[in-house]
Amino acid sequence: MNLLKCEYLKTRRRYIFITALAITAFAGIWAFYGNYSGDIKDFVIQNGYLLFLYQFPLMNAIFFPLLCIIIASRLCDIEHKGKNLKLICTLTEKSKIFDAKLIYGISIVIFCVILLWCATLIFGKIIGFAGKIPINLYLLYLLFTIIPTTAIYVFQYSLSMIFQNQAISFFVGILGEFIGLFSMFLPQFPLFRKSMLWGYYGALQFVGLFGYTKETRYDAAYMEVMDIDWTAFIVLIVAMTVIYIIGKKIFCKKEL
Amino acid sequence: MFSLIKAEQMKLKRSPIWLAFLIMPVIPAFLGTLNYVANIEILQSEWYSLWTQHTLFTDYFFLPIMIGIYCSYIMRQEENNRNWNKVLTMPVSKNNIFIVKLICTSFMILISEIWIAILFILSGKIVGISSAIPINKLIVWCLFGTLGGIVMASIQLMLSLFIKSFALPIALALAGGLSGLVFLAKNLGHIWPYSLMAYGMNSNAPQELVKTGYLSFVIICFVYILIFMLISSTILNKRDI
């Protein structure tokens, strides 16, 4: 707890929380801005909640990895500047510092994910989507957003802690995000999606849009809940744990 | 001026940052081509469809972020170890210091554009597009994309001069890139600085080659570059770094 309090004190007036909220707000505006009238109005009102579950993983794949990169970089940069690690690692164990910073960063990122999730539900109510909120599906969606985001955060955080040059973690993160985003448009290659952390927003997507064509548009379109890929979910958790262990080990062995 | 460019190059020597500019365009080239082949019955405009696949995400999300990272990195070298004190006491014009950083970034953007063009031609040949390569248009897209990219670089360098954090200007670059998409959708892409690169590269409608005309595009770009250069030079001259 003391270490977490230290993290809070170190990040005061560094606008980390505001930055996270700003990115989340931007993601929200991006997600909710759309056409809710005209010829697609009926379809959107009838299928709104499921439509969000179908569309939002793409938006998550754009914004949340970036949020992870920025928060991880900002938190770790505090220590790299002025060789602060040399000082704090003489006061407490390296592994504890690693964990405390990780928990602090993850809690900021998860808070933003939950905030956007709540905003989604409220927005659906305001627009007046038909039917009750499919809360079970939304809880699953929350889980399938939190876990890939946490896995990406652990990866970015490990990079940012290991490399002083934050450009490296940024470039790796952006390249990963880029590949992950592209993988969302290649559902015919499911293994490709599952081969990297950033592709799991798509791999764990469980709502599909069917029957949409350019000619008939939404006339014959329908939303359907698909099978959930629990194997991918387990693989992701294992990958996250492995990254955490490796990252922590490298950091603990590294000369400061 | 040349000695300043040389000094800037020396600072970047052995930095792996340029590698990202070479690796990054390979991803849309490979995956965009894959998507093109998978949807060939819908994407029937051959080279133009392939160009859209190659550049759409690059222009709105990733090249702005890459430019943001590069600019942040260049400015960070001066932030570290209070290097600004040494740089600003050198017997050179402070305006030139900013201009040289902009030249270095512009060079990287140009290299990226050339690399994007090479990958585009290679991909088209590999998938067997039979029509002639729109080489003149490709040159214009790349040159105008570079010019639009330089506008973005001038803003990002200015932001990195204002904001000492490494990450914040990059977040603003993403916000800028996305705002560029909105402005393009509202038909204001030719006046919004963050849209100019995508607008110049015609990434979402390659057949419509710069609707507002070449000259006005070039003038707008140069005006923006001049404005951001002036603001940055003023900061360097007036502000206590």
Side-chain angles (χ1 to χ4, degrees), chain A residues 201-228:
Chain A
Y201 291 105
L204 295 171
Q205 187 175 5
F206 57 89
V207 172
L209 173 67
F210 301 94
Y212 176 89
T213 60
K214 214 174 176 181
E215 292 77 33
T216 60
R217 289 175 52 82
Y218 290 94
D219 292 346
Y222 61 97
M223 311 295 305
E224 199 169 274
V225 179
M226 302 181 294
D227 290 337
I228 294 168

Side-chain angles (χ1 to χ4, degrees), chain A residues 17 27 44 53 56 73 81 90 103 152 194 213 227 230 238:
Chain A
F17 207 69
V44 173
L53 292 181
F56 281 13
S73 167
K81 264 187 185 173
T90 53
I103 292 166
I152 292 168
K194 292 173 204 167
T213 60
D227 290 337
W230 288 107
V238 172

Side-chain angles (χ1 to χ4, degrees), chain B residues 21-173:
Chain B
F21 278 85
L22 287 189
I23 296 168
M24 200 271 298
V26 177
I27 299 164
F30 178 68
L31 296 175
T33 308
L34 213 60
N35 200 30
Y36 171 78
V37 173
N39 298 292
I40 204 150
E41 65 280 0
I42 307 166
L43 305 167
Q44 290 175 340
S45 303
E46 297 196 323
W47 288 106
Y48 298 108
S49 296
L50 186 67
W51 180 250
T52 305
Q53 295 302 309
H54 274 216
T55 57
L56 201 61
F57 287 124
T58 316
D59 284 351
Y60 297 128
F61 299 113
F62 297 99
L63 217 44
I65 296 175
M66 298 296 258
I67 292 172
I69 297 172
Y70 197 77
C71 294
S72 268
Y73 186 76
I74 282 190
M75 284 300 183
R76 183 153 176 108
Q77 289 176 323
E78 315 301 354
E79 298 285 352
N80 282 345
N81 304 319
R82 301 188 181 276
N83 212 25
W84 272 126
N85 288 347
K86 293 161 204 153
V87 173
L88 294 180
T89 47
M90 284 196 305
V92 288
S93 156
K94 287 175 184 172
N95 302 344
N96 285 353
I97 292 169
F98 182 83
I99 292 168
V100 162
K101 289 187 188 298
L102 187 60
I103 290 170
C104 288
T105 318
S106 308
F107 180 70
M108 278 315 300
I109 297 169
L110 180 66
I111 298 285
S112 298
E113 293 283 348
I114 293 169
W115 183 224
I116 287 170
I118 292 169
L119 289 169
F120 170 67
I121 294 171
L122 280 177
S123 309
K125 288 289 170 196
I126 290 167
V127 297
I129 296 177
S130 52
S131 57
I133 304 165
I135 198 78
N136 290 339
K137 286 182 178 177
L138 185 61
I139 292 169
V140 174
W141 293 336
C142 290
L143 285 178
F144 280 23
T146 307
L147 198 55
I150 296 172
V151 173
M152 210 180 279
S154 61
I155 308 172
Q156 285 304 130
L157 283 172
M158 183 189 76
L159 287 175
S160 297
L161 199 59
F162 263 124
I163 306 166
K164 293 198 172 168
S165 155
F166 181 81
L168 270 184
I170 300 168
L172 292 174

Side-chain angles (χ1 to χ4, degrees), chain A residues 33 66 74 77 171 178 188, chain B residues 17 38 62 76 165 174 186:
Chain A
Y33 180 80
L66 193 86
R74 295 276 284 156
D77 204 32
F171 274 125
F178 201 1
Q188 58 271 50
Chain B
I17 204 156
F62 297 99
R76 183 153 176 108
S165 155
L174 173 79
K186 300 276 178 202

Side-chain angles (χ1 to χ4, degrees), chain A residues 40-140:
Chain A
I40 62 162
K41 186 183 177 185
D42 284 347
F43 183 82
V44 173
I45 296 295
Q46 288 304 318
N47 301 283
Y49 288 117
L50 286 182
L51 195 65
F52 274 179
L53 292 181
Y54 167 70
Q55 289 176 332
F56 281 13
L58 179 70
M59 188 236 5
N60 295 340
I62 297 171
F63 287 98
F64 287 135
L66 193 86
L67 178 70
C68 294
I69 300 171
I70 289 171
I71 299 300
S73 167
R74 295 276 284 156
L75 287 179
C76 300
D77 204 32
I78 299 169
E79 311 298 354
H80 293 309
K81 264 187 185 173
K83 303 262 178 202
N84 205 26
L85 281 172
K86 271 193 190 300
L87 174 73
I88 56 171
C89 286
T90 53
L91 300 172
T92 188
E93 283 173 44
K94 267 178 161 184
S95 61
K96 281 185 182 170
I97 293 166
F98 187 89
D99 289 342
K101 288 187 83 72
L102 181 64
I103 292 166
Y104 188 71
I106 283 178
S107 46
I108 294 175
V109 170
I110 290 179
F111 175 78
C112 292
V113 172
I114 294 172
L115 193 68
L116 195 59
W117 182 79
C118 294
T120 307
L121 296 180
I122 294 166
F123 187 77
K125 277 283 168 206
I126 292 169
I127 289 286
F129 290 154
K132 280 184 177 177
I133 298 169
I135 197 73
N136 288 344
L137 295 180
Y138 266 82
L139 285 171
L140 267 178

